[in-house]
Amino acid sequence: MSKLRILVPIKRVIDYATKPHVNRTQTAVMTANVKHSMNPFDELSIEEAVRLRERNTTPVEEIVAFSAGPPKAQDILRTAMAIGADRSIHVVVEEKDALEPLGVAKLLQKVVDEQKSNLVILGKQSIDDDAGQTGQMLAGLLNWAQATQASKVSIEGESVTVTREVDGGVETLKTKLPMVITTDLRLNEPRYASLPNIMKAKKKKLEKKTLADYGLAENLKLKTIKVTEPPTRKGGVKVEDVDGMISKLKELGAL
C-alpha cells in the first residue's frame, strides 16, 4: 500500500471579517495595515489532511503546506504547521507581482513533481479574487483525476471516494490516486492551533524559494482595468397587508 504524500496549497488573504475598501485610484483593494489571515477554504484543506492522518485508513507519510506570496505569508504557513503540517515551502512573490490562477497552477505542478506528492488538497477558491480555477487547472496540467467542492473525503488504499454537493442534491465520485481535491465549507470544522503546537511549529522546517528556482517568472496575462465597490443597497419598505405587497411588487415590475 502506497503512503499519502499530501500537498496543501494555502493563501494569505484579507481576513474574512474585515470589510475591504477600494483605493483612491480604483485600481485595487487596499491591503496596507489591513488584517490578513489564511483563506478560509484553505483552512478546511489543512484540517482535512490532518484528519486523513488521524483516520489512518491509508498511512500519511508527509503533509507539506505551500504558499506563494509576500514575506508575511510565512505567518499562515506557521499556522498550518501548528495545525499539523510537517513542513512548509514559501515561494516569495511580492504583492505587486501577485500570480494569476494559471501561474499558480503551473507553479504547483512543479512543486508536485519536486515533492513527489500523490494528493493535492486545496480550497475551491480564495475569497479575494474568487476565481475558483487553480485546482481544475492543476489537475489538467498533471493529467490527474479531480473532485471539486468536496463535502466528504474517504481514502482506503489507492481508492478515493468524494462526496460533493450539486444543485440536485449530492454526487459521489470514486477514483484512484493520484488526484486533486478542492474543498467546500461543509467538509469539516477547522481546529484551533494549540499553544504547544504553535511553539512546536516554530521548530518545523520552512523552506524559502523563488519562482526562478522552479524555472518560472511572473507572466501576467490579465490586467485589472478598474475596481469599484458595489452600489449601496436601498432599504426595504413595509407594507400593511398582502394586497399592499402585491401592489408594491407590481409597481417594481416584479409581477
Side-chain angles (χ1 to χ4, degrees), residues 2-207:
S2 63
K3 296 183 179 180
L4 292 174
R5 295 183 58 83
I6 307 174
L7 178 69
V8 184
I10 59 179
K11 186 177 183 180
R12 178 178 179 266
V13 299
I14 293 176
D15 189 82
Y16 74 93
T18 301
K19 178 178 172 56
H21 295 281
V22 178
N23 61 20
R24 292 182 179 180
T25 57
Q26 294 189 323
T27 55
V29 171
M30 291 189 294
T31 57
N33 301 317
V34 175
K35 182 181 178 183
H36 285 68
S37 59
M38 189 188 303
N39 181 48
F41 291 102
D42 298 336
E43 291 180 352
L44 302 169
S45 302
I46 191 66
E47 174 66 26
E48 192 63 22
V50 175
R51 291 191 184 194
L52 286 172
R53 168 177 280 162
E54 293 170 345
R55 291 175 198 145
N56 202 31
T57 53
T58 298
V60 175
E61 180 178 340
E62 189 175 44
I63 300 172
V64 179
F66 171 88
S67 188
K72 289 184 178 180
Q74 65 178 325
D75 295 342
I76 63 168
L77 289 170
R78 293 291 181 194
T79 300
M81 290 189 288
I83 292 172
D86 299 301
R87 60 186 176 89
S88 60
I89 301 171
H90 180 200
V91 174
V92 181
V93 180
E94 294 300 330
E95 198 165 356
K96 62 182 180 61
D97 300 320
L99 295 171
E100 296 166 351
L102 180 57
V104 176
K106 290 181 177 179
L107 175 57
L108 289 175
Q109 181 188 19
K110 300 276 190 181
V111 176
V112 166
D113 292 340
E114 177 190 62
Q115 302 300 317
K116 295 180 173 54
S117 307
N118 57 5
L119 177 63
V120 180
I121 307 177
L122 68 161
K124 70 172 185 178
Q125 66 194 75
S126 60
I127 62 171
D128 50 3
D129 58 19
D130 281 325
Q133 300 172 349
T134 303
Q136 294 89 323
M137 289 178 172
L138 175 61
L141 291 171
L142 293 169
N143 196 27
W144 284 8
Q146 64 172 304
T148 59
Q149 299 169 237
S151 58
K152 184 179 180 181
V153 176
S154 175
I155 302 179
E156 293 189 13
E158 297 285 332
S159 178
V160 184
T161 303
V162 177
T163 301
R164 59 192 297 269
E165 294 185 3
V166 294
D167 290 341
V170 295
E171 178 181 65
T172 301
L173 306 174
K174 189 172 184 178
T175 185
K176 291 185 177 182
L177 296 170
M179 75 174 301
V180 176
I181 298 174
T182 69
T183 58
D184 207 350
L185 290 175
R186 295 186 190 274
L187 179 60
N188 58 52
E189 184 175 343
R191 71 193 69 187
Y192 289 101
S194 65
L195 181 58
N197 287 335
I198 291 173
M199 300 306 292
K200 289 178 184 178
K202 293 181 179 180
K203 298 180 180 179
K204 291 183 179 180
K205 184 179 179 181
L206 194 163
E207 188 176 1

Side-chain angles (χ1 to χ4, degrees), residues 204-244:
K204 291 183 179 180
K205 184 179 179 181
L206 194 163
E207 188 176 1
K208 293 186 179 181
K209 293 196 172 187
T210 64
L211 290 175
D213 292 331
Y214 292 100
L216 298 173
E218 296 95 345
N219 185 19
L220 302 182
K221 299 180 182 297
L222 300 175
K223 181 181 179 182
T224 301
I225 304 299
K226 189 176 183 181
V227 179
T228 59
E229 295 194 22
T232 304
R233 294 181 63 179
K234 296 180 179 179
V237 296
K238 291 184 179 181
V239 294
E240 297 296 331
D241 49 30
V242 174
D243 290 337

